[in-house]
Amino acid sequence: VQLQASGGGLVQAGDSLRLSCAVSGRTVRAAGVAWFRQAPGKDRDFVAAIRSRGTTTYYSEAVKGRFTLSKDNAKNTVFLQMNSLKPEDTAVYYCAADYDPYAILSQLTQPNSYDYWGQGTQVTVSS
């Protein structure tokens, strides 16, 4: 399984970006997929996750109401729509996937629950 993250860039506060995570090797339909982000000198933090074989999504408090995670099974891709971006959203964003159909919420938010990772895409939000 390979994940290819893309869509990052340099934007101003209040702008929007859409990140993509293209999955190859297995169907994204069966994958639980999450986005994490890591700012310089900080830990890798949970951003959002979507369950395998469904559309239930979870968000960190920092992005709830501004970010939307979705799966496009036809394109085998997961999208993270990021609106109303803030300077504190600046980080490298990583997508991750796992195929455990019984993962519980506490697992979905932990980086070590995921077996497959993309290479990261830089998001920089200027004030």
Side-chain angles (χ1 to χ4, degrees), residues 13 18 65:
R18 189 177 76 159

Side-chain angles (χ1 to χ4, degrees), residues 70-83:
S70 62
K71 273 186 187 179
D72 186 327
N73 293 324
K75 296 182 178 179
N76 226 39
T77 299
V78 171
F79 297 103
L80 182 67
Q81 178 66 42
M82 306 187 297
N83 297 331

Side-chain angles (χ1 to χ4, degrees), residues 34-123:
W35 286 91
F36 293 83
R37 65 187 183 186
Q38 189 166 20
K42 297 190 177 182
D43 293 334
R44 190 167 295 190
D45 291 332
F46 170 76
V47 175
I50 187 166
R51 282 194 178 277
S52 63
R53 302 189 181 280
T55 58
T56 305
T57 52
Y58 307 93
Y59 301 93
S60 69
E61 288 301 319
V63 308
K64 194 175 295 182
R66 300 187 296 122
F67 291 12
T68 303
L69 186 58
S70 62
K71 273 186 187 179
D72 186 327
N73 293 324
K75 296 182 178 179
N76 226 39
T77 299
V78 171
F79 297 103
L80 182 67
Q81 178 66 42
M82 306 187 297
N83 297 331
S84 302
L85 283 162
K86 304 175 181 180
E88 51 264 43
D89 294 319
T90 295
V92 177
Y93 283 70
Y94 297 91
C95 61
D98 188 72
Y99 287 84
D100 179 3
Y102 305 110
I104 59 177
L105 177 57
S106 61
Q107 292 173 289
L108 294 175
T109 62
Q110 299 302 311
N112 59 12
S113 297
Y114 294 86
D115 292 330
Y116 308 103
W117 288 83
Q119 82 286 7
T121 185
Q122 176 71 47
V123 172

Side-chain angles (χ1 to χ4, degrees), residues 26-38:
R26 286 184 74 173
T27 175
V28 74
R29 182 188 304 273
V33 180
W35 286 91
F36 293 83
R37 65 187 183 186
Q38 189 166 20

